[in-house]
Amino acid sequence: MSYAYLFKYIIIGDTGVGKSCLLLQFTDKRFQPVHDLTIGVEFGARMITIDNKPIKLQIWDTAGQESFRSITRSYYRGAAGALLVYDITRRETFNHLASWLEDARQHANANMTIMLIGNKCDLAHRRAVSTEEGEQFAKEHGLIFMEASAKTAQNVEEAFIKTAATIYKKIQDGVFDVSNESYGIKVGYGGIPGPSGGRDGSTSQGGGCCG
Amino acid sequence: MSMEASELQDLSDDADYAASQQQGSASMMRCDSEKRSSSSEHEGAELIYTKDNVAIHPTQFASERISGRLKLTKQDSVLFLSWIPYKGEIPNAKLSDKDRSLYTITAVPFTEVRSIKRHTPALGWQYIIVVLSSGLAFAPLYFYSGGVREFLAIVKQHVFLARSAEDTNVLLVNDFQSPLQRTLSSLELPSSLPVASGQSTYPSDGGGSSNDNRISILSQYGLRKQKSHDPTRDLSIHLLEKFSLVTKFARETTTQLFSENNGFGSIDKRRNNQPVHSYPEKLSNIAEEKHHESSHSYPETDRLDNEEISNDIDVPADPLEFNNLSLVWGKPRQSPMGREEFTAFLDSEGRVVDSKALRKRVFYGGIEHQLRTEVWPFLLGYHAYDSTYAEREYHRSVKKKEYEDLKLQWKSISAEQAKRFTKYRERKGLIDKDVVRTDRAFEYYEGDDNLNVNIMRDILLTYSFYNFDLGYCQGMSDYLSPIMFVMEDESESFWCFVALMERLGPNFNRDQNGMHTQLFALSKLVELLDTPLHNYFKQNDCLNYFFCFRWILIQFKREFEYEKTMLLWEVLWTHYLSEHFHLYVCVAILKRCRSKIMGDQMDFDTLLKFINELSGHIDLDSTVRDAEALCICAGENGAASIPPGTPPSLPLDDGILYPQDDDIL
Ligand SMILES: Nc1nc2c(ncn2[C@@H]2O[C@H](COP(=O)(O)OP(=O)(O)O)[C@@H](O)[C@H]2O)c(=O)[nH]1
Ligand SMILES: [Mg+2]
């Protein structure tokens, strides 16, 4: 399937906050309680539509443990969006947000759109971080914010799409030079959803960005 | 004018012949040209010996064997060896004259022969393998009517032959060096690499060469060599020659293994015939330029070779993969070692008499699952090879007690104490989260309240106390899972895991130092074994090799199915050919994908994703065979590319094993 734009996303945050589950919920619309912990990085992709334009999201799901930070840093390059995830039932995952943000600011491009997600909001009875605190942190750091649940799918779709919409708006506003792929955006075939030319975005290098 | 000289001229405008000269008898080419210029040729040569019905076996098929005549001649007190295939003998339409000329040995002076290896089995054909000083080897020469002994006796009358200390079947020619020097020099470059001169002897501007990749690549190399003396370039040329020759050599040996087998024969054939059957097809392609075989049955990964490169991108040829031959040519994999066979390695008290032989056996075939419980502890170094049954039993009981004591260290932490012990709480939290995310789809760990999941947690937590500096890191549970499945005992699993971490612990260092050294060593190996691919990575900012991170961190655990992973691990843990065999496995996989990677012009992101998605699509047996071939081919140069202390080598000094940062865990 052809796309008008391809956005690279990266999902970051402490281990166990539900990054992989969020990705799976978004790409496959299911919650799988039994899955393997992430080593290195894993990939997901899905098409969405914004402003009638097909947009392909290529999502990088990273390993969260501290030891792997140095390698995770190399994945920021060329990401247009980031989902920064914490677990509302574990305070420390919220406390570590600042250091994640620092990594992102240092290693991603300055215009990267960051969505803060307080995950596992289905576990409200075990909540350790209030919604207000999350909102406050997001406001202070200029992030978009949502609480979500990979388990119930609440706000999952919204989080990914809202991030894309924000990026899309930045493109419209001319914030990005879309021909520069370091912004994590690849331009497809002028947004015309061609009659399945067999060309899948994930394998098309540059997708005709120069044409 | 002698027969071989006329042949040379007949074929001098033949690209294949030129290529065969370049790869096959590079070192003698120089002397050919010298001789030609002095125009004395072989006229005054004295015929010392001839032997008919000496054949080579390019494939395992009898129909494709090539018979010929072996000759010894002498001129100016130098002994020469030649083997010329019989003319006009067309055993099989597939085998053209070109193919046969590929194997022709045209008057090699014994001054350039390093050794002759003889095989004189009681049953089956006798053969010899001639190895040149440059490290090149000719295809085995089979003496259909016997007479290897006589042949050697005659050689001995003219040159100095000494039996190798390492292998009594290897006769060293004119070897006056000390044994140490010998090993050191055995794989080094000959001081005068015949590339530049070689270049002038084949027709780089001859007819048809423009559409022959090989020639242009070779000339390119030759030219670059002349411009700058880049040692790695030299080496890759050297390897290029060596590899293609050794390729043939190995194919022979493969064939040999099949014909005169050793007990596993019938099973081997059943299990391995797939890749082997692909040889003749591959071989037949030598003559058909760039003919891309399309539909032969071949492991899935062949797809990755991307024979049909979609665009016009000119992928630099693999220096080791001449003539589009498949790289698959390590020894055929054997069936796993069974109990009876294992028992034969033990003396009456249970000591492993010849640990190297045992490791070799495991390297080539792995272990039957039921037997792993017994063999893994040796491979991992938990039990000593020279321990007796009784000693191991005692060791187990001592270790069991020790384990229980260690476990008690955290078991006895009260809730009150835990409140004041953040590090412990954090570690336990991490481990609790990860054991329920480790191989839960595998039946041994599946289901709620699975006992084995709890045992895994206990072992990991105990380990994090046993090795408090290293602690717990993600990926450890991936290693522990198969160990527990194999050992089926908590304490035994723990100690095997400990033994493994002695070597692989650095993979989990906070500073990732162990990973970085391995990735660096990998980059050096690729530079050595596939310079064009290395250059590609360099140009595309991929030299950090992070795309191989997962492969190395958990030794391919996520790339193969469970059973295959166990097989691969025991192969790696033998340290049979190299402690760093896993790095050669990386190179082998990368080489299989090289044309896809370069043809698609993958950037870092694309490459990472591509490599990730190889998971589940890599054929283990052929990959291990490739890796074996690469490892042998790289030889000392490969070992030298890997910095000392690179895991799983034991650390160089016994200072602090696991450098500590002072934050978080
Ligand atoms: N109740 C609940 N559990 C979740 C949710 N998301 C993830 N989990 C669980 O949290 C654990 C860690 O999830 P995972 O996606 O592997 O975390 P990651 O390390 O950030 O990728 C798993 O055991 C999941 O089942 C959620 O929204 N609600
Ligand atoms: Mg994950």
Side-chain angles (χ1 to χ4, degrees), chain A residues 13-21 35-40 42 61-64, chain B residues 437 474:
Chain A
D14 279 11
T15 178
V17 296
K19 297 183 294 295
S20 300
C21 289
H35 65 275
D36 286 349
L37 63 98
T38 312
I39 298 285
E42 265 152 36
D61 170 29
T62 64
Chain B
R437 295 189 288 170
Q474 290 186 331

Side-chain angles (χ1 to χ4, degrees), chain A residues 8 15 37 41 65 205, chain B residues 437 440 474 558 605-606 612:
Chain A
K8 172 179 167 180
T15 178
L37 63 98
V41 63
Q65 199 180 357
Q205 275 301 299
Chain B
R437 295 189 288 170
R440 297 299 301 289
Q474 290 186 331
R558 300 284 181 101
D605 284 13
T606 316
N612 246 47

Side-chain angles (χ1 to χ4, degrees), chain A residues 13-22 31-38 61-62 64 87 119-123 148-152, chain B residues 433 436-437 474:
Chain A
D14 279 11
T15 178
V17 296
K19 297 183 294 295
S20 300
C21 289
L22 284 167
F31 177 72
Q32 195 182 6
V34 174
H35 65 275
D36 286 349
L37 63 98
T38 312
D61 170 29
T62 64
D87 176 348
N119 189 36
K120 307 198 189 179
C121 71
D122 57 294
L123 301 175
S149 166
K151 188 171 181 175
T152 66
Chain B
K433 276 205 159 17
V436 297
R437 295 189 288 170
Q474 290 186 331

Side-chain angles (χ1 to χ4, degrees), chain B residues 239-377:
Chain B
L239 286 172
L240 174 143
E241 296 164 343
K242 179 165 167 175
F243 200 88
S244 48
L245 254 187
V246 176
T247 303
K248 292 193 204 87
F249 161 68
R251 203 178 294 115
E252 302 300 322
T253 319
T254 304
T255 314
Q256 186 63 24
L257 272 172
F258 270 75
S259 47
E260 45 167 88
N261 221 301
N262 38 23
F264 327 112
S266 53
I267 311 162
D268 275 355
K269 274 176 200 155
R270 184 171 46 74
R271 298 185 99 243
N272 298 306
N273 59 6
Q274 201 179 14
V276 170
H277 278 171
S278 66
Y279 290 151
E281 295 173 51
K282 296 265 179 186
L283 193 77
S284 66
N285 287 342
I286 291 179
E288 304 155 39
E289 318 280 10
K290 302 204 64 97
H291 164 90
H292 298 309
E293 62 267 66
S294 45
S295 61
H296 62 87
S297 65
Y298 203 70
E300 209 169 347
T301 40
D302 213 24
R303 264 186 319 129
L304 303 170
D305 283 358
N306 191 31
E307 304 278 358
E308 353 74 52
I309 298 159
S310 47
N311 38 31
D312 295 337
I313 286 158
D314 203 5
V315 175
D318 182 341
L320 302 188
E321 197 175 4
F322 226 54
N323 298 333
N324 292 327
L325 283 174
S326 165
L327 264 175
V328 182
W329 58 269
K331 288 206 187 100
R333 305 293 302 159
Q334 296 175 357
S335 55
M337 174 175 69
R339 171 154 316 271
E340 244 174 78
E341 232 187 299
F342 174 59
T343 312
F345 282 103
L346 305 176
D347 69 11
S348 59
E349 295 187 304
R351 295 182 195 87
V352 176
V353 184
D354 184 350
S355 65
K356 183 156 189 211
L358 174 64
R359 291 187 294 117
K360 179 177 180 180
R361 176 61 184 94
V362 173
F363 180 84
Y364 284 109
I367 308 165
E368 273 179 15
H369 185 71
Q370 299 312 316
L371 197 60
R372 288 187 166 128
T373 327
E374 279 166 75
V375 184
W376 279 23

